[in-house]
Amino acid sequence: MRVAFISDLHGNIHALTAVKRFLADNIVNQVVVVGDLVGYGASPGPVIDFVKREGWATGLGSSDMRVAIDLGDRNDRKGVADQVLVWTKKMLSPDQMDFLRRLPPGGRITTPVGRIRYFHGSPHDPEARMDLMANERELEALADTLAARVVVVGGSHVPFVRMIGETTFVDPGSVGLTLNHEPGADVAIVDCVGRKPKVTLHKVTYDFASSAFDIMAWNLPPVIADVIKTGRMG
């Protein structure tokens, strides 16, 4: 059994299309999206429609939640991400907004090597940020609570794997806005065979120049185009 995990698609349809081609060549049994379909990128609607059409299991991300769910007055937030989320709300259809609202906070998968749990930030809060570099005891306690052999989280935009005891913690990185200093789309594949799961991290090349062009064409913050082209912030 092989499961592909992708996260932080962030409205980048060029990257997502390349990931689908990659997965066609690297056959998996299931694809899971660990949240943040929207935000930053210029194609939030097409990305939502793509994921919906593919029928991939999908969890709610922090950007998804802030676009689709009324969280009250947050006018104090004026960053680049917030500017794009305001624009995104105007671009989505009622059906696309409803799709985001219906996303669960995460999910679980039963595999031959044990349970996989996935969520964007924390088990109950997509906006929380799990520190995979935290103290081992803290992560061991979480693994015991979740009763999971693999825990997959998103949000950092940097691919990462860490083994703590019998549990493997994974951040797939970002499909649409990677920050590991190398442009491309990040994919994590978990092979659930043998005595323990095996995780491989992949960087998928795509036409990031076109993604950057779309940012400029929609008059979105130019810094996003720079990050797409370089894989680094600043």
Side-chain angles (χ1 to χ4, degrees), residues 35-73:
D36 271 7
L37 281 66
V38 302
Y40 294 110
S43 302
V47 165
I48 292 171
D49 292 341
F50 188 106
V51 171
K52 183 178 180 180
R53 184 171 60 249
E54 293 297 322
W56 293 340
T58 305
L60 180 70
S62 56
S63 295
D64 307 324
M65 182 173 68
R66 288 166 58 195
V67 164
I69 300 173
D70 184 3
L71 299 175
D73 186 10

Side-chain angles (χ1 to χ4, degrees), residues 31-164:
V31 180
V32 177
V33 183
V34 195
D36 271 7
L37 281 66
V38 302
Y40 294 110
S43 302
V47 165
I48 292 171
D49 292 341
F50 188 106
V51 171
K52 183 178 180 180
R53 184 171 60 249
E54 293 297 322
W56 293 340
T58 305
L60 180 70
S62 56
S63 295
D64 307 324
M65 182 173 68
R66 288 166 58 195
V67 164
I69 300 173
D70 184 3
L71 299 175
D73 186 10
R74 309 187 74 156
N75 292 332
D76 58 320
R77 303 182 69 150
K78 301 294 184 182
V80 169
D82 304 283
Q83 295 176 41
V84 179
L85 292 181
V86 171
W87 173 85
T88 299
K89 290 180 181 181
K90 300 174 183 177
M91 300 300 294
L92 298 184
S93 70
D95 285 346
Q96 290 163 345
M97 292 284 277
D98 189 59
F99 178 80
L100 294 182
R101 291 190 190 100
R102 292 175 179 270
L103 292 177
R108 65 192 69 196
I109 305 170
T110 300
T111 79
V113 295
R115 176 183 295 174
I116 298 177
R117 290 291 302 271
Y118 64 88
F119 38 84
H120 188 74
S122 73
H124 306 294
D125 183 2
E127 286 202 297
R129 180 67 63 82
M130 179 177 292
D131 181 10
L132 296 188
M133 293 297 293
N135 180 277
E136 285 194 12
R137 290 185 179 180
E138 181 179 336
L139 293 178
E140 285 175 349
L142 176 63
D144 289 342
T145 300
L146 297 175
R149 288 293 304 279
V150 182
V151 177
V152 184
V153 301
S156 78
H157 295 209
V158 177
F160 186 81
V161 178
R162 185 182 182 189
M163 187 79 177
I164 302 290

